[in-house]
């Protein structure tokens, strides 16, 4: 019976291009990290912007990102989530604190364990953290208004 195998029926084709196990958009100095993202409040989309950036970059570099946040603005709930995330043993943490002092013990513990910690959105400093990333929203608003005024000839 003719055509018993898929090979005999398939048209001749070029061999497939070699597949790389690295993500296509991986930056040259990228390191694949498993990152825990801890934000202050789930229903507030404002926090999603930096979280989305972390998730995208982690995936592009071959890592992963786990974003979690409390359902309410509640420091104790945020601490509990951070503790649960720490049990999963990620390489790094991106943390936007509701209350920096209320999370101090947990964050300092992570740093003491050699975890990489970046804090965002609040002027938060912990000895040993990688960095703190903040923006001045009032200054950004002022600059936007000045730019619009200039565009209108004012």
């Amino acid at each position: 019976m003719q055509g018993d195998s898929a090979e005999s029926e398939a048209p001749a084709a070029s061999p497939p291009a070699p597949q790389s196990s690295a993500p296509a958009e991986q930056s040259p100095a990228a390191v694949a990290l498993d990152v825990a993202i801890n934000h202050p409040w789930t229903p507030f989309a404002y926090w999603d912007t930096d979280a989305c950036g972390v998730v995208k970059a982690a995936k592009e570099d071959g890592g992963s990102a786990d974003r979690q946040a409390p359902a309410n603005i509640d420091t104790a709930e945020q601490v509990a989530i951070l503790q649960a995330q720490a049990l999963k043993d990620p390489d790094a943490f991106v943390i936007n604190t509701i209350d920096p002092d209320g999370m101090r013990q947990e964050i300092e513990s992570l740093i003491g364990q050699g975890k990489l910690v970046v804090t965002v959105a609040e002027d938060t400093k912990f000895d040993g953290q990688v960095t703190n990333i903040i923006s001045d929203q009032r200054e950004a608003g002022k600059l936007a208004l000045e730019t619009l005024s200039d565009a209108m000839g004012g």
Side-chain angles (χ1 to χ4, degrees):
M1 180 183 226
Q2 190 175 14
D4 285 343
S5 77
E7 284 183 34
S8 65
E9 294 179 15
S14 301
Q19 295 293 321
S20 170
S21 61
E25 298 180 35
Q26 186 172 10
S27 59
V31 175
L33 293 175
D34 295 319
V35 181
I37 306 166
N38 188 288
H39 278 274
W41 191 35
T42 300
F44 192 40
Y46 175 81
W47 308 123
D48 288 341
T49 55
D50 57 349
C52 288
V54 173
V55 170
K56 182 176 188 266
K59 287 181 180 179
E60 286 174 356
D61 293 340
S64 66
D66 170 37
R67 179 193 182 274
Q68 294 190 38
N72 301 294
I73 299 177
D74 182 312
T75 300
E77 190 177 348
Q78 188 177 23
V79 167
I81 289 169
L82 184 60
Q83 290 169 337
Q85 287 176 306
L87 291 174
K88 296 176 184 177
D89 199 29
D91 303 308
F93 293 81
V94 176
I95 304 169
N96 181 343
T97 65
I98 294 170
D99 173 15
D101 290 329
M103 297 200 54
R104 179 169 300 281
Q105 181 178 349
E106 296 306 320
I107 292 172
E108 288 177 345
S109 174
L110 293 171
I111 294 168
Q113 295 169 42
K115 297 297 180 179
L116 302 172
V117 174
V118 171
T119 55
V120 297
E122 300 291 333
D123 190 8
T124 308
K125 294 177 179 67
F126 297 96
D127 287 340
Q129 74 184 38
V130 175
T131 194
N132 176 250
I133 301 170
I134 60 172
S135 61
D136 186 335
Q137 298 301 318
R138 289 187 181 116
E139 191 61 32
K142 179 180 171 189
L143 180 60
L145 185 58
E146 288 172 359
T147 302
L148 289 171
S149 179
D150 290 347
M152 296 173 65

